[in-house]
Amino acid sequence: MTADNEIDIKEAFQRAQKGHNNKAKLVASLRSRYDKLEDKTLFHEEFVQYLKYAMIVYKREPSVESVIEFVARFATSFQSPPKAEDEEAQVEEEEELKEDDDDDDDHPFLSFIFNFLLESHKANSHAVRFRACQLINKLLGSMAENAQIDDDLFDRIHQAMLVRVTDKFPNVRIQAALAMTRLQQPRDAECPTISAYILILDNDCNHEVRRAVLSCIAVSPLTLPKVLKRTRDIKEAVRKLAYQVLADKVHIKALSIAQRVDLLQQGFNDTSEAVREVVCSRLLPAWLQWLDGDVIELLHKLDVENCAETAVDTLKAIFKNTPTKDLLENRAKLDNRKLIPVDSLSCENVLYWRSLCEFFKSKGDEGEEMLEQVLPDAATYAQYLCGCLKAVPVLSEEQRADFNQLELVMTREFISQQLIHLIACLDTNEEGGRKRVLAVLQEMLALPQTPYCLVFLLTEKLLALIPDNHRRIQTVAEIISDVREPIAEASQPVDEKESRRQQVRLAELKVRILEAKQTLEECIAAQEFHKAAELKNSITDLENHRNQVIQEVAEGSQPADKEIHTEKSDPETLLRCLTMCAELLKQMSIKTRLGPTISTLMTSLVLPSIASAHAAVRNMAVVCLGTCTLHSKELAKTHMVLLLQIAQLDKIKIRISALRAIFDLLLVFGFQQLSETAASQTASPDKQEDGAVAPEEKGEDTAQSILMMLSEFLDSEVSDLRTETAEGLAKLIYMGRISSPKIFSRLVLLWYNPVTEDDTRLRHCLGVFFQLYARNSRVNQEAVEESFLPTVRTLLNAPVTSPLAEVDINNVLELFVDLTRPSALIKPSTNTEEVCVHDYLAVRLCGEMLKDPTAPEVRLYAKMLCHLELSRDETVRQDLHSLLQQLVQVVKDRICLRALEKMIYQLVDAKEQTELLSASALQPLDVNADEPATDDPSKSAKRAKRGQRKVCTAKGGRKASRRAESSEESDGENVPESVPVLRTSRRAKTAALEKTKLDLNTLIS
């Protein structure tokens, strides 16, 4: 190699900073120089000396990154390239290969670099620790797959990185975690690297560190549950990467059915569009690839009988990414009638058929032609459906004990449910087909053999086909009448005594007729014609009497059957009728007035069922009663007391149904209208006799009593009752039916109470309610502000044994500040001089501090004052300034005094504030800060307070926000990006790079 191709170390480092240089040529040139040296010690020392200049830079400068990349390439260039193994000569050359590998892997320069980095990882400078871990990561990553290192070196690297994954700085932890990627041993249950990764996934507060571990952790039976847990991470980027790891590294058979279903449910319902997209575009195609593209087999892996909705969402996601031509070719085993043969019906293919039809139906006019290829006409399908529903077996009590028989029936019922769902996809515009479908639905609802689980669906589809409300009511009422009072033919039993008596009479008549005929012949022979005429008349009467008796005997021997209506009151029949009634009431418009038919159903069916001994019947009766009272204010007033009693006394499920009905009535009619009648029904006899209490006061007292009773459920030990009550009260407050700071305070305390930590529905409901309610209007913010002090006092006075003693009061204060912030309003006021809620809150806080300046909560209030957004009203500012001056005189706590002085600084007059803002605008900005300068003095002061001990020091300097620091500290190298960023032009990139480029040449020289 010529001298032109050889460069010294300094020149190599200078040229390595420039991104356009070919690093392979630089490595080759420096390697040529290195190989010619006899004493390589000086080279090692000089190389490390220049490397140190790059290692002291913490910021991810492009020039520094290029140098680090060059060093990693040069150090690993001393390893021999991967050799192809010759199977025939493997036994003969095995020892030579090992010796060669050992010689190559233990190269002096590579060992020297590793030793230097391992000595540097304990440096005080976080930049040096970061670069040492980064370089170790790049060195190990650049080695060949079959590379080997010395056991002692392996252990030293391992121990050093185990220390660095607990570093204070997130970037150091990220590089240390990435460096241990090739050091982990997934098959070893006690592998320290795996243990460290698990610890990071469970406890590290920085989401970028968790992402880095997710990207490099080896999936095994030990680590799989931890990866699955990250799909519920608080950060979108971590959840997204967790699904990508599961798609790329985990076979579908390695997951249980419950895990597969949970993954899909969480993915489809995730709040992030990016996570939902990863589930549809990465996870499902990967699972289908493992199953050779068999969608029916995928459904079998999900157990569709117990998670039908998740399976339907899965199929819709698959259909969206599948060409229409392929969908029509792979339709679910349909015959020439476009039906699945009855003997080929299974849970998976019938659900696939239903989802495919619904998918084509959702396309509108575009999907009509495709729908005709996979679904027959309405009349044909109605006949098919009738046969399938009648084929569902009815089990006796003995057969129900057989699990196989029970499983068969449950499978048939599930298939029937999916077939009923398909009715919505039929073309019912043709009158004949629609009538046939209606006839089948009515027939199946009236049949006592129809399973109860199908009654709701059948009623829903029946009502959907009948647009007229009056006809709906009449049809359902007739079906209920047929089910509850079926027509039966009753035959009267034959009375044997009466039959015998008739036979005796008939014999007597025959004897008398014979005797009369003989006497008649004798009279004719004696020519006594007058007497003969009388005998002839008597014989005629006797024969007529005999014929009448013969007819009675014949009727007695063949008794006629009669049609009678017998009323059935067994629980199953009542449950069927109530289910149909409840669905009818739900489908009716709330503006529809109740007619005589509904009133009859209420009197004869619903109200008597309230007193049934069977809980299921009572529950459905309560649902019917609550739904029916929504249509009539008078009916609601009449039965409000009954619903309140049920909510307190019955079983949990029935009490929840009653609570839902009560909250619905209060939302529709309000407290005032419903409490008028309730007051008269619940008033005590003494008050009724007194007559001095006004009706309005009685109504208010009753409304308070109802609200008090409902709020008591917030302390219930039953989580379902507590959640239902909290949700109902939140609806009442949001809709303006009640305005109670006390109730709002109770809801805030319930949200923070550790007892409700596992109640996901309650936490989610209240979390959404607080934000929507407070941001809706300024009046709502005032109500929130009124509940502030009661909430804080409750937390401060909570005994040590109470769960509320564990609540972080600072977090509660931050919540109230955010909820009452003027800028948080959806439609903020344009009047800048208007007194805002934070002004009132500031005055209230000052008043509380003046009451007892030595109280421990004074420090909390002082800290909270600095976070308020105050208006520009001069009167309010002057009053607040005077209060703060009084506080400064009486408060002795130094931390409180600093906060109060800072608050006084924020209340300077407008002229001085403008000067301060203009002065701060002229100062150079911090290149590391991600947030732009703000014109809001409160925000500026809030940002400046971190790390400042005096008010005067806050005027000149600015600190980056915690969020900016977090983003600066953790860049997540080698971790897939989570959020797509708009790409800038090449010219803009070049200009920005030139401005921020760091040149190491000055340091090197």
Coordinates of all heavy atoms in Angstrom, one line a residue, residues 673-741:
Q673 N -89.8 17.8 39.3 CA -91.1 17.2 38.9 C -91.3 15.9 39.6 O -92.5 15.6 39.9 CB -91.1 17.1 37.4 CG -91.0 18.4 36.7 CD -91.0 18.3 35.2 OE1 -91.5 17.2 34.7 NE2 -90.6 19.3 34.4
L674 N -90.3 15.1 39.8 CA -90.5 13.8 40.3 C -90.6 13.8 41.8 O -91.2 12.9 42.4 CB -89.3 12.9 40.0 CG -89.1 12.5 38.5 CD1 -87.9 11.6 38.3 CD2 -90.4 11.8 38.0
S675 N -90.1 14.9 42.5 CA -90.2 14.9 44.0 C -91.5 15.4 44.5 O -91.8 15.4 45.7 CB -89.0 15.8 44.5 OG -89.1 17.1 44.0
E676 N -92.4 16.0 43.6 CA -93.6 16.5 44.0 C -94.5 15.4 44.6 O -95.0 15.4 45.7 CB -94.4 17.2 42.9 CG -93.6 18.5 42.5 CD -94.2 19.1 41.2 OE1 -95.2 18.5 40.7 OE2 -93.8 20.1 40.8
T677 N -94.7 14.4 43.8 CA -95.6 13.2 44.2 C -94.8 12.4 45.3 O -95.4 11.9 46.2 CB -95.9 12.3 43.0 OG1 -96.6 13.2 42.0 CG2 -96.9 11.2 43.4
A678 N -93.5 12.3 45.1 CA -92.8 11.5 46.1 C -92.8 12.1 47.4 O -92.8 11.4 48.5 CB -91.3 11.3 45.6
A679 N -92.9 13.5 47.5 CA -93.0 14.1 48.8 C -94.3 13.8 49.5 O -94.3 13.6 50.7 CB -92.8 15.7 48.6
S680 N -95.4 13.8 48.7 CA -96.6 13.5 49.3 C -96.7 12.1 49.8 O -97.4 11.7 50.8 CB -97.8 13.8 48.4 OG -97.7 13.0 47.2
Q681 N -96.0 11.2 49.1 CA -96.1 9.7 49.4 C -95.2 9.4 50.6 O -95.4 8.5 51.4 CB -95.7 8.9 48.2 CG -96.7 9.0 47.1 CD -96.4 8.1 45.9 OE1 -95.5 7.3 46.1 NE2 -97.1 8.2 44.8
T682 N -94.1 10.2 50.7 CA -93.1 9.8 51.8 C -93.2 10.7 53.0 O -92.4 10.5 53.9 CB -91.7 9.9 51.2 OG1 -91.5 11.3 50.7 CG2 -91.4 9.0 50.1
A683 N -94.1 11.7 53.0 CA -94.2 12.6 54.1 C -94.7 11.9 55.3 O -95.6 11.0 55.2 CB -95.1 13.8 53.8
S684 N -94.3 12.2 56.5 CA -94.7 11.6 57.7 C -96.1 12.0 58.1 O -96.5 13.1 57.8 CB -93.7 11.9 58.9 OG -93.7 13.3 59.1
P685 N -96.8 11.3 58.9 CA -98.2 11.7 59.3 C -98.2 13.0 60.1 O -99.1 13.8 60.0 CB -98.6 10.5 60.2 CG -97.8 9.3 59.8 CD -96.5 9.9 59.4
D686 N -97.1 13.2 60.9 CA -97.1 14.5 61.7 C -97.0 15.7 60.8 O -97.8 16.7 61.0 CB -95.9 14.4 62.6 CG -96.0 13.3 63.7 OD1 -97.1 12.9 63.9 OD2 -94.9 12.9 64.2
K687 N -96.2 15.6 59.8 CA -96.1 16.7 58.8 C -97.4 16.9 58.0 O -97.8 18.0 57.7 CB -94.9 16.5 57.9 CG -93.6 16.6 58.6 CD -92.4 16.6 57.6 CE -91.1 16.8 58.3 NZ -90.0 16.7 57.3
Q688 N -98.1 15.8 57.7 CA -99.3 15.9 57.0 C -100.4 16.5 57.8 O -101.2 17.3 57.3 CB -99.8 14.5 56.5 CG -98.9 13.9 55.4 CD -99.4 12.5 55.0 OE1 -100.3 12.0 55.6 NE2 -98.7 12.0 54.0
E689 N -100.4 16.2 59.1 CA -101.4 16.9 60.0 C -101.0 18.3 60.3 O -101.9 19.2 60.5 CB -101.4 16.1 61.3 CG -102.0 14.7 61.2 CD -102.0 13.9 62.5 OE1 -101.5 14.5 63.5 OE2 -102.4 12.8 62.5
D690 N -99.8 18.6 60.3 CA -99.4 20.0 60.6 C -99.8 21.0 59.5 O -100.5 22.0 59.8 CB -97.8 20.0 60.8 CG -97.4 21.4 61.3 OD1 -98.3 22.2 61.6 OD2 -96.2 21.6 61.3
G691 N -99.5 20.6 58.3 CA -99.9 21.4 57.2 C -99.2 22.8 57.0 O -99.6 23.6 56.2
A692 N -98.3 23.0 57.9 CA -97.6 24.3 57.9 C -96.5 24.3 56.9 O -96.0 25.4 56.5 CB -97.1 24.7 59.3
V693 N -96.0 23.2 56.4 CA -94.9 23.1 55.5 C -95.4 23.3 54.1 O -96.3 22.6 53.7 CB -94.1 21.7 55.7 CG1 -92.9 21.7 54.7 CG2 -93.7 21.5 57.1
A694 N -94.7 24.2 53.4 CA -95.1 24.4 52.0 C -94.8 23.3 51.1 O -93.8 22.5 51.3 CB -94.4 25.7 51.5
P695 N -95.6 23.0 50.0 CA -95.3 21.9 49.1 C -94.0 22.1 48.4 O -93.3 21.1 48.2 CB -96.5 22.0 48.1 CG -97.6 22.8 48.8 CD -96.9 23.7 49.7
E696 N -93.5 23.3 48.2 CA -92.2 23.5 47.5 C -91.1 23.0 48.5 O -90.1 22.4 48.0 CB -92.0 24.9 47.1 CG -93.0 25.4 46.0 CD -92.8 26.8 45.7 OE1 -91.8 27.5 46.3 OE2 -93.4 27.4 44.8
E697 N -91.2 23.3 49.8 CA -90.2 22.9 50.7 C -90.2 21.4 50.9 O -89.2 20.8 51.0 CB -90.5 23.6 52.1 CG -90.3 25.1 52.0 CD -90.6 25.7 53.4 OE1 -90.9 24.9 54.3 OE2 -90.5 26.9 53.5
K698 N -91.4 20.8 50.8 CA -91.5 19.3 50.9 C -90.7 18.7 49.7 O -90.0 17.8 49.8 CB -92.9 18.9 50.9 CG -93.7 19.2 52.2 CD -95.1 18.6 52.1 CE -95.8 18.9 53.4 NZ -97.2 18.3 53.4
G699 N -91.0 19.3 48.5 CA -90.3 18.8 47.3 C -88.8 18.9 47.4 O -88.1 18.0 47.0
E700 N -88.3 20.1 47.9 CA -86.9 20.3 48.1 C -86.3 19.3 49.1 O -85.2 18.7 48.8 CB -86.6 21.7 48.5 CG -86.9 22.7 47.4 CD -86.6 24.1 47.9 OE1 -86.2 24.3 49.1 OE2 -86.9 25.1 47.1
D701 N -87.0 19.1 50.2 CA -86.6 18.1 51.2 C -86.5 16.7 50.5 O -85.6 15.9 50.8 CB -87.5 18.1 52.4 CG -87.4 19.4 53.1 OD1 -86.4 20.1 52.9 OD2 -88.3 19.7 53.9
T702 N -87.5 16.4 49.7 CA -87.5 15.0 49.1 C -86.4 14.9 48.1 O -85.7 13.8 48.1 CB -88.9 14.8 48.4 OG1 -89.9 15.0 49.3 CG2 -89.0 13.4 47.9
A703 N -86.1 15.9 47.4 CA -85.0 15.9 46.4 C -83.7 15.7 47.2 O -82.8 14.9 46.7 CB -85.0 17.2 45.6
Q704 N -83.5 16.4 48.3 CA -82.3 16.2 49.1 C -82.2 14.8 49.6 O -81.2 14.2 49.7 CB -82.3 17.2 50.2 CG -82.1 18.7 49.8 CD -80.7 18.9 49.2 OE1 -79.8 18.2 49.6 NE2 -80.6 19.9 48.3
S705 N -83.4 14.3 50.0 CA -83.4 12.9 50.6 C -83.0 11.9 49.5 O -82.2 11.0 49.8 CB -84.8 12.6 51.1 OG -85.1 13.5 52.2
I706 N -83.5 12.1 48.3 CA -83.2 11.2 47.2 C -81.7 11.3 46.9 O -81.0 10.3 46.7 CB -84.0 11.5 45.9 CG1 -85.5 11.2 46.2 CG2 -83.5 10.7 44.7 CD1 -86.4 11.7 45.0
L707 N -81.2 12.5 46.9 CA -79.8 12.7 46.6 C -78.9 12.1 47.7 O -77.8 11.6 47.4 CB -79.5 14.2 46.4 CG -78.2 14.6 45.7 CD1 -78.0 14.0 44.3 CD2 -78.1 16.1 45.6
M708 N -79.3 12.3 48.9 CA -78.6 11.7 50.0 C -78.5 10.2 49.9 O -77.5 9.6 50.2 CB -79.2 12.2 51.3 CG -78.5 11.7 52.6 SD -77.0 12.7 52.8 CE -77.7 14.3 53.2
M709 N -79.7 9.6 49.6 CA -79.7 8.1 49.5 C -78.8 7.6 48.4 O -78.1 6.7 48.5 CB -81.2 7.7 49.2 CG -81.3 6.2 49.3 SD -82.7 5.6 48.3 CE -82.0 5.7 46.7
L710 N -78.8 8.4 47.2 CA -78.0 7.9 46.1 C -76.5 8.1 46.5 O -75.6 7.3 46.1 CB -78.3 8.8 44.9 CG -79.7 8.5 44.3 CD1 -80.0 9.5 43.1 CD2 -79.9 7.1 43.8
S711 N -76.1 9.2 47.2 CA -74.7 9.4 47.5 C -74.2 8.4 48.5 O -73.0 8.2 48.6 CB -74.5 10.8 48.0 OG -75.3 11.0 49.2
E712 N -75.1 7.8 49.3 CA -74.7 6.8 50.2 C -74.1 5.5 49.5 O -73.3 4.8 50.1 CB -75.8 6.4 51.1 CG -76.2 7.5 52.2 CD -77.4 7.1 53.0 OE1 -78.0 6.0 52.7 OE2 -77.8 7.8 53.9
F713 N -74.6 5.3 48.3 CA -74.1 4.2 47.5 C -72.6 4.3 47.1 O -71.9 3.4 46.8 CB -74.9 3.9 46.3 CG -76.3 3.4 46.5 CD1 -77.4 4.1 46.2 CD2 -76.4 2.1 47.1 CE1 -78.7 3.6 46.5 CE2 -77.7 1.6 47.4 CZ -78.8 2.4 47.1
L714 N -72.1 5.6 47.2 CA -70.7 5.8 46.9 C -69.8 5.1 47.9 O -68.6 4.9 47.6 CB -70.4 7.3 46.8 CG -71.0 8.1 45.7 CD1 -70.7 9.5 45.8 CD2 -70.6 7.6 44.3
D715 N -70.3 4.9 49.1 CA -69.5 4.2 50.1 C -69.7 2.7 50.2 O -69.3 2.1 51.1 CB -69.8 4.8 51.5 CG -69.4 6.3 51.5 OD1 -68.4 6.7 50.9 OD2 -70.2 7.1 52.2
S716 N -70.5 2.2 49.2 CA -70.8 0.8 49.2 C -69.6 -0.1 49.0 O -68.6 0.3 48.3 CB -71.9 0.5 48.1 OG -72.1 -0.9 48.1
E717 N -69.6 -1.2 49.7 CA -68.5 -2.2 49.5 C -68.6 -2.9 48.2 O -67.6 -3.5 47.7 CB -68.4 -3.1 50.7 CG -68.1 -2.5 52.0 CD -68.1 -3.5 53.1 OE1 -68.4 -4.7 52.8 OE2 -67.8 -3.1 54.3
V718 N -69.7 -2.9 47.5 CA -70.0 -3.6 46.3 C -69.5 -2.6 45.2 O -70.0 -1.5 45.0 CB -71.4 -4.0 46.1 CG1 -71.6 -4.7 44.8 CG2 -71.9 -4.8 47.3
S719 N -68.5 -3.0 44.4 CA -67.9 -2.1 43.4 C -68.9 -1.8 42.3 O -68.9 -0.7 41.8 CB -66.6 -2.8 42.8 OG -67.0 -4.0 42.2
D720 N -69.7 -2.7 41.9 CA -70.7 -2.5 40.8 C -71.7 -1.4 41.2 O -72.0 -0.5 40.4 CB -71.4 -3.7 40.5 CG -70.5 -4.8 39.8 OD1 -69.5 -4.3 39.3 OD2 -70.8 -6.0 39.8
L721 N -72.2 -1.5 42.5 CA -73.1 -0.4 42.9 C -72.4 0.9 43.0 O -72.9 2.0 42.6 CB -73.6 -0.8 44.3 CG -74.8 -1.7 44.4 CD1 -75.1 -2.0 45.9 CD2 -76.0 -1.1 43.8
R722 N -71.2 0.9 43.5 CA -70.4 2.2 43.6 C -70.1 2.8 42.2 O -70.3 4.0 42.0 CB -69.1 1.8 44.3 CG -68.3 3.0 44.8 CD -67.1 2.6 45.6 NE -66.3 1.6 45.0 CZ -65.9 0.5 45.5 NH1 -66.2 0.2 46.7 NH2 -65.1 -0.4 44.8
T723 N -69.8 2.0 41.3 CA -69.5 2.5 39.9 C -70.7 3.0 39.3 O -70.7 4.1 38.6 CB -68.9 1.3 39.1 OG1 -67.7 0.9 39.7 CG2 -68.5 1.8 37.7
E724 N -71.8 2.3 39.4 CA -73.1 2.7 38.8 C -73.6 4.0 39.3 O -74.0 4.9 38.6 CB -74.2 1.6 38.9 CG -75.3 1.7 37.9 CD -74.8 1.4 36.5 OE1 -74.0 0.5 36.3 OE2 -75.3 2.1 35.6
T725 N -73.4 4.2 40.7 CA -73.9 5.4 41.3 C -73.0 6.6 40.9 O -73.5 7.7 40.6 CB -73.8 5.2 42.8 OG1 -74.6 4.1 43.2 CG2 -74.4 6.5 43.5
A726 N -71.7 6.4 40.9 CA -70.8 7.4 40.4 C -71.0 7.9 39.0 O -71.0 9.1 38.7 CB -69.3 7.0 40.6
E727 N -71.3 6.9 38.1 CA -71.6 7.2 36.7 C -72.9 8.0 36.6 O -73.0 9.0 35.9 CB -71.6 5.9 35.9 CG -71.8 6.2 34.4 CD -71.8 4.9 33.6 OE1 -71.3 3.9 34.2 OE2 -72.2 4.9 32.5
G728 N -73.9 7.6 37.4 CA -75.2 8.3 37.3 C -75.1 9.7 37.9 O -75.6 10.6 37.3
L729 N -74.4 9.9 39.0 CA -74.2 11.2 39.5 C -73.4 12.1 38.6 O -73.7 13.3 38.5 CB -73.6 11.1 40.9 CG -74.4 10.5 42.0 CD1 -73.6 10.4 43.3 CD2 -75.6 11.4 42.3
A730 N -72.4 11.6 38.0 CA -71.6 12.3 37.0 C -72.5 12.8 35.8 O -72.4 13.9 35.4 CB -70.4 11.5 36.5
K731 N -73.4 11.9 35.4 CA -74.3 12.3 34.3 C -75.3 13.4 34.8 O -75.5 14.4 34.0 CB -75.1 11.1 33.8 CG -74.3 10.1 33.1 CD -75.2 8.9 32.7 CE -74.5 7.8 32.0 NZ -75.3 6.6 31.7
L732 N -75.8 13.3 36.0 CA -76.7 14.4 36.5 C -76.0 15.7 36.6 O -76.6 16.8 36.3 CB -77.2 13.9 37.9 CG -78.2 12.7 37.9 CD1 -78.6 12.4 39.3 CD2 -79.5 13.1 37.1
I733 N -74.7 15.7 37.1 CA -74.0 17.0 37.2 C -73.7 17.5 35.8 O -73.8 18.7 35.6 CB -72.7 16.7 38.0 CG1 -73.0 16.3 39.5 CG2 -71.8 18.0 38.0 CD1 -71.8 15.9 40.3
Y734 N -73.3 16.7 34.9 CA -72.9 17.2 33.6 C -74.1 17.7 32.8 O -73.9 18.7 32.1 CB -72.3 16.0 32.8 CG -71.7 16.4 31.4 CD1 -70.6 17.2 31.3 CD2 -72.5 16.1 30.3 CE1 -70.1 17.6 30.0 CE2 -72.0 16.5 29.0 CZ -70.8 17.2 28.9 OH -70.4 17.6 27.7
M735 N -75.2 17.1 33.0 CA -76.4 17.6 32.3 C -77.1 18.8 33.0 O -78.1 19.3 32.6 CB -77.4 16.4 32.1 CG -76.9 15.3 31.3 SD -76.5 15.8 29.6 CE -78.1 16.3 29.0
G736 N -76.6 19.2 34.2 CA -77.1 20.3 34.9 C -78.3 20.0 35.7 O -79.0 21.0 36.2
R737 N -78.6 18.7 36.0 CA -79.8 18.4 36.8 C -79.5 18.7 38.3 O -80.4 19.0 39.0 CB -80.1 16.9 36.6 CG -80.8 16.6 35.3 CD -82.0 17.4 35.1 NE -82.7 17.0 33.8 CZ -83.9 17.6 33.4 NH1 -84.4 18.6 34.2 NH2 -84.4 17.2 32.3
I738 N -78.2 18.6 38.7 CA -77.8 19.0 40.0 C -76.5 19.8 40.0 O -75.8 19.6 39.0 CB -77.7 17.8 41.0 CG1 -76.6 16.8 40.4 CG2 -79.0 17.1 41.2 CD1 -76.3 15.7 41.3
S739 N -76.3 20.6 40.9 CA -75.1 21.4 41.1 C -74.7 21.3 42.5 O -75.2 22.1 43.3 CB -75.2 22.8 40.6 OG -74.0 23.5 40.7
S740 N -73.9 20.4 42.9 CA -73.5 20.2 44.3 C -72.0 20.0 44.4 O -71.4 19.0 44.0 CB -74.2 18.9 44.8 OG -73.7 18.5 46.1
P741 N -71.3 21.0 45.0 CA -69.9 20.9 45.2 C -69.6 19.7 46.1 O -68.5 19.1 46.0 CB -69.5 22.3 45.9 CG -70.6 23.2 45.4 CD -71.9 22.4 45.3

